[in-house]
């Protein structure tokens, strides 16, 4: 295994501090999409970036923002590579990122803790008392903490979020879907 140099670690922190263009409450580090930074010469850096999904429209903005931050730090040549393997997963979101999503009013994804394929299951649209008793990790309202929620739309402002409503406090909220 190759260890990162001090400069690579510093540049990774800089690139990782870039806010996500769709969820500016999170940095690219907290979202877990920034994979690596390699110094390839005196003024050349290569950055590996894994989008949340292959058609992610924010990839171009993320790339431009990373280039801008590293250029401002004195790096003349910045190459941002899109890396699809290993695929990004919502398990890559840091604990700090999950906390920030919750504070921002977005229900964070539940952690999967497995590395295999994601099983496709069509779940009920409500997560009330019956489902809560069966689920080990119920989806909770980020506003009041209730597990009594309903699905309003499988897609919200972005493809990676669903729109839900809490049946206790009646507030709508986004849920960052598990991938």
């Amino acid at each position: 295994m190759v260890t990162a140099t001090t400069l690579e670690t510093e540049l990774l922190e800089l690139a990782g501090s870039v806010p996500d263009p769709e969820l500016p409450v999170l940095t690219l580090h907290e979202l877990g999409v920034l994979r690596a930074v390699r110094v390839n010469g005196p003024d050349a850096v290569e950055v590996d970036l894994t989008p949340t999904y292959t058609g992610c429209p924010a990839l171009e903005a993320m790339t431009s923002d990373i280039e801008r931050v590293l250029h401002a730090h004195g790096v003349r040549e910045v190459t941002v590579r899109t890396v699809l393997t290993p695929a990004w997963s919502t398990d890559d979101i840091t604990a700090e990122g999950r906390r920030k999503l919750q504070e921002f009013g977005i229900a964070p994804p539940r952690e999967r803790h497995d590395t295999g394929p994601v099983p496709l299951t069509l779940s009920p649209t409500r997560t009330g008392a019956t489902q809560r008793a069966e689920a080990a990790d119920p989806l909770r309202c980020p506003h009041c903490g209730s597990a009594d929620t309903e699905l309003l739309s499988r897609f919200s402002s972005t493809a990676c979020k669903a729109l839900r409503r809490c049946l206790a406090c009646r507030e709508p909220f986004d849920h960052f879907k598990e991938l």
Side-chain angles (χ1 to χ4, degrees), residues 10 16 62 105 132 150-151:
E10 179 184 341
M62 285 188 253
R132 189 172 57 246
E150 68 179 339
L151 180 68

Side-chain angles (χ1 to χ4, degrees), residues 68-113:
R68 180 184 41 76
V69 165
L70 295 181
H71 286 309
H73 190 69
V75 180
R76 278 193 275 150
E77 184 182 329
V78 178
T79 304
V80 179
R81 294 181 339 131
T82 301
V83 178
L84 301 178
T85 303
W88 178 86
S89 160
T90 50
D91 285 346
D92 295 331
I93 299 173
T94 66
E96 178 70 5
R98 291 170 188 281
R99 184 191 64 73
K100 285 182 175 181
L101 284 171
Q102 181 83 23
E103 285 180 1
F104 193 64
I106 298 173
R110 294 165 287 202
E111 293 187 60
R112 295 183 318 114
H113 299 296

Side-chain angles (χ1 to χ4, degrees), residues 159-175:
C160 55
K161 292 184 285 190
L163 181 61
R164 301 190 73 88
R165 176 175 44 215
C166 178
L167 298 174
C169 71
R170 305 301 292 167
E171 288 292 323
F173 64 92
D174 282 338
H175 167 229

Side-chain angles (χ1 to χ4, degrees), residues 14-132:
L14 280 168
S17 70
V18 169
D20 178 73
E22 291 181 353
L23 291 166
V25 68
L26 296 182
T27 66
L28 298 183
H29 165 73
E30 293 161 344
L31 187 57
V33 296
L34 191 63
R35 299 297 190 185
V37 172
R38 285 177 301 287
V39 175
N40 290 336
D43 288 323
V45 170
E46 190 172 85
V47 178
D48 289 350
L49 185 65
T50 299
T52 55
Y53 63 100
T54 55
C56 180
L59 190 59
E60 186 177 327
M62 285 188 253
T63 298
S64 296
D65 290 346
I66 289 170
E67 289 170 348
R68 180 184 41 76
V69 165
L70 295 181
H71 286 309
H73 190 69
V75 180
R76 278 193 275 150
E77 184 182 329
V78 178
T79 304
V80 179
R81 294 181 339 131
T82 301
V83 178
L84 301 178
T85 303
W88 178 86
S89 160
T90 50
D91 285 346
D92 295 331
I93 299 173
T94 66
E96 178 70 5
R98 291 170 188 281
R99 184 191 64 73
K100 285 182 175 181
L101 284 171
Q102 181 83 23
E103 285 180 1
F104 193 64
I106 298 173
R110 294 165 287 202
E111 293 187 60
R112 295 183 318 114
H113 299 296
D114 61 15
T115 58
V118 177
L120 175 63
T121 55
L122 298 177
S123 58
T125 58
R126 290 189 178 214
T127 58
T130 305
Q131 290 83 17
R132 189 172 57 246

